[in-house]
């Protein structure tokens, strides 16, 4: 890459700019850190606009479950199964009427759907399009909040097995049932998206949600730069996440970009973050020191104004004793 000196400015936020020369120096450091890895960034110029592009690591920091789409937007909805198959715990009559099952199926809660009996395991190609195009094997871990429903008892018919495969979807190799498509990604797990330096925060959010077919609105989330010191800086809608990552430096042991809920996280300034990791006895000692300093200042002010009041009273008495002259 050519890191020759440049003089033009590159936007890094609303009314905020950085010189191209300085950004190139940060970019050179960034690429040296990730030398030989796919996280290196490239830059180009298009219509006199300086553009950096590549993969951005984003950590999951969600506290509430997310909803995944049951099929792609372009996928045609399949017709309902035949009347002989078991669907949602009931049988369908010839005219579509609901008939009570003869026996209640036994339901067992398990962590994931069991594979069809007979040793056949659905491959990721049976996921009906919900497996995202993996740029570089991003991780989206499942937690115990998403469970599968398994029916025990009778042997499944071929039509039942086809129905189960049709309703099992995969995301990064992790299968989930269409009835339990709500789950929370493991906190701190990392994924990535391919973006460029002209994409704003809302655009990056929409791209990430669309990659994993997440139904939640992008308005529910925000991107935060979280430091190991405890400082949390929310990226504004006018910020450029890739530029922010470059300026923060490449080391994720110092800072990471997190996807979090807007209403669940508050920004933490650097000054406040300095005290977050202290133990309670240490914080109490700080408060005691500040209280002592405040008491000293109060006593100093009381003495000052007491002396001033005495001086004024003495002056008034002297004026009263002096006879008035005409």
């Amino acid at each position: 890459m050519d890191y020759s000196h440049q003089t033009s400015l590159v936007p890094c936020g609303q009314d905020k700019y950085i010189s191209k020369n300085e950004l190139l120096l940060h970019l050179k450091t960034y690429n040296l850190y990730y030398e030989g890895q796919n996280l290196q960034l490239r830059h180009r110029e298009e219509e006199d606009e300086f553009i950096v592009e590549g993969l951005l690591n984003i950590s999951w920091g969600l506290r509430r479950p997310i909803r995944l789409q049951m099929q792609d937007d372009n996928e045609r909805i399949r017709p309902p199964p035949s009347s002989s198959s078991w669907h949602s715990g009931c049988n369908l009559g010839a005219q579509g009427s609901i008939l009570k099952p003869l026996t209640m199926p036994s339901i067992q809660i398990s962590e994931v759907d069991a594979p069809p009996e007979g040793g056949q395991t659905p491959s990721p190609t049976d996921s009906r399009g919900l497996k995202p195009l993996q740029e570089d094997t991003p991780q989206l871990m499942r937690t115990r909040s998403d469970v599968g429903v398994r029916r025990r008892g009778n042997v499944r018919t071929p039509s039942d097995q086809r129905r189960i495969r049709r309703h099992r979807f995969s995301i990064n190799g992790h299968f989930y049932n269409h009835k339990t498509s709500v789950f929370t990604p493991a906190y701190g797990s990392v994924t990535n998206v391919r973006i460029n330096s002209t994409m704003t925060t809302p655009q990056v959010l929409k791209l990430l949600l669309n990659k994993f077919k997440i139904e939640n609105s992008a308005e529910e989330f925000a991107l935060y730069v979280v430091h190991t010191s405890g400082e949390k800086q929310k990226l504004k809608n006018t910020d450029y996440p890739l530029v922010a990552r470059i300026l923060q430096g490449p080391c994720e042991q110092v800072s990471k970009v997190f996807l979090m809920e807007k209403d669940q996280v508050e920004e933490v300034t650097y000054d406040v973050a300095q005290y977050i990791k202290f133990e309670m006895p240490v914080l109490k000692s700080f408060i005691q020191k500040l209280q002592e300093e405040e008491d000293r200042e109060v006593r100093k002010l009381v003495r000052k104004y007491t002396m001033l009041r005495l001086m004024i009273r003495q002056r008034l008495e002297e004026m009263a004793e002096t006879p008035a002259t005409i």
Side-chain angles (χ1 to χ4, degrees):
M1 296 183 181
D2 181 19
Y3 295 100
S4 58
H5 293 283
Q6 305 289 341
T7 58
S8 58
L9 298 177
V10 178
C12 56
Q14 185 176 13
D15 300 328
K16 295 189 296 184
Y17 298 89
I18 184 175
S19 67
K20 187 186 297 184
N21 178 43
E22 184 178 355
L23 182 59
L24 282 171
L25 291 176
H26 284 282
L27 182 59
K28 183 177 181 180
T29 303
Y30 192 98
N31 285 338
L32 285 175
Y33 184 86
Y34 288 114
E35 186 174 4
Q37 302 182 38
N38 56 6
L39 291 175
Q40 282 190 317
L41 304 176
R42 297 176 296 176
H43 73 276
R44 57 187 171 87
E45 289 196 25
E46 185 175 317
E47 297 180 356
D48 296 330
E49 183 178 14
F50 184 78
I51 300 176
V52 182
E53 57 187 2
L55 292 175
L56 174 66
N57 277 349
I58 299 178
S59 300
W60 297 94
L62 304 180
R63 300 298 184 182
R64 292 195 298 255
I66 56 176
R67 301 184 305 275
L68 300 180
Q69 295 180 6
M70 291 191 295
Q71 64 272 329
D72 288 333
D73 297 333
N74 298 327
E75 182 184 6
R76 294 194 306 173
I77 304 299
R78 286 175 171 264
S82 62
S83 59
S84 60
S85 64
W86 182 76
H87 182 72
S88 301
C90 64
N91 293 325
L92 300 179
Q95 303 299 326
S97 59
I98 300 177
L99 303 178
K100 293 184 178 179
L102 297 178
T103 58
M104 291 297 294
S106 176
I107 303 299
Q108 177 180 349
I109 303 302
S110 62
E111 184 174 353
V112 295
D113 279 353
E117 295 183 9
Q120 297 181 358
T121 303
S123 64
T125 56
D126 293 328
S127 58
R128 298 301 302 163
L130 268 188
K131 187 171 183 179
L133 178 59
Q134 298 186 13
E135 298 285 352
D136 293 273
T137 59
Q139 299 284 332
L140 182 55
M141 299 299 184
R142 291 182 55 189
T143 62
R144 289 185 177 275
S145 60
D146 46 308
V147 295
V149 178
R150 182 175 59 183
R151 195 179 75 159
R152 300 169 55 191
N154 300 331
V155 178
R156 294 191 180 98
T157 63
S159 61
D160 288 337
Q161 295 181 6
R162 286 194 300 271
R163 178 183 56 78
I164 292 174
R165 285 196 295 268
R166 190 165 63 240
H167 288 138
R168 283 170 59 89
F169 305 104
S170 168
I171 183 165
N172 291 344
H174 299 279
F175 286 94
Y176 63 92
N177 189 276
H178 75 292
K179 297 180 183 178
T180 58
S181 59
V182 177
F183 71 98
T184 307
Y187 189 90
S189 57
V190 181
T191 184
N192 53 52
V193 286
R194 185 170 297 278
I195 61 174
N196 61 53
S197 58
T198 64
M199 298 179 66
T200 60
T201 302
Q203 291 174 323
V204 174
L205 285 172
K206 290 179 181 179
L207 182 64
L208 177 63
L209 299 185
N210 183 66
K211 177 179 181 178
F212 291 107
K213 301 300 179 184
I214 297 174
E215 289 186 344
N216 300 65
S217 171
E219 298 295 328
E220 301 177 24
F221 308 105
L223 293 179
Y224 290 82
V225 178
V226 180
H227 297 259
T228 53
S229 62
E231 180 184 359
K232 294 181 181 178
Q233 177 188 359
K234 180 182 176 181
L235 295 182
K236 301 177 181 178
N237 289 341
T238 55
D239 288 339
Y240 302 95
L242 188 58
V243 177
R245 173 75 266 183
I246 296 172
L247 297 181
Q248 290 290 335
C251 183
E252 295 194 352
Q253 295 180 354
V254 177
S255 63
K256 294 182 179 181
V257 178
F258 269 83
L259 174 71
M260 296 179 169
E261 295 96 341
K262 281 184 178 180
D263 58 350
Q264 295 289 311
V265 184
E266 293 185 2
E267 290 189 81
V268 179
T269 62
Y270 174 77
D271 295 333
V272 175
Q274 296 182 74
Y275 299 98
I276 286 180
K277 294 190 176 181
F278 285 113
E279 299 293 335
M280 187 58 65
V282 178
L283 294 175
K284 288 182 178 179
S285 67
F286 288 157
I287 295 175
Q288 184 178 357
K289 293 291 185 182
L290 293 173
Q291 186 67 44
E292 292 174 357
E293 184 177 351
E294 182 180 357
D295 292 340
R296 285 195 300 268
E297 291 296 324
V298 169
R299 289 194 297 267
K300 187 185 299 183
L301 290 173
V302 169
R303 285 196 303 269
K304 176 181 177 180
Y305 285 101
T306 300
M307 293 179 62
L308 182 60
R309 185 175 57 182
L310 291 175
M311 292 175 61
I312 294 175
R313 179 182 298 177
Q314 184 179 2
R315 180 60 178 167
L316 291 175
E317 290 176 354
E318 291 176 354
M319 292 176 63
E321 292 176 357
T322 303
T325 58
I326 299 178

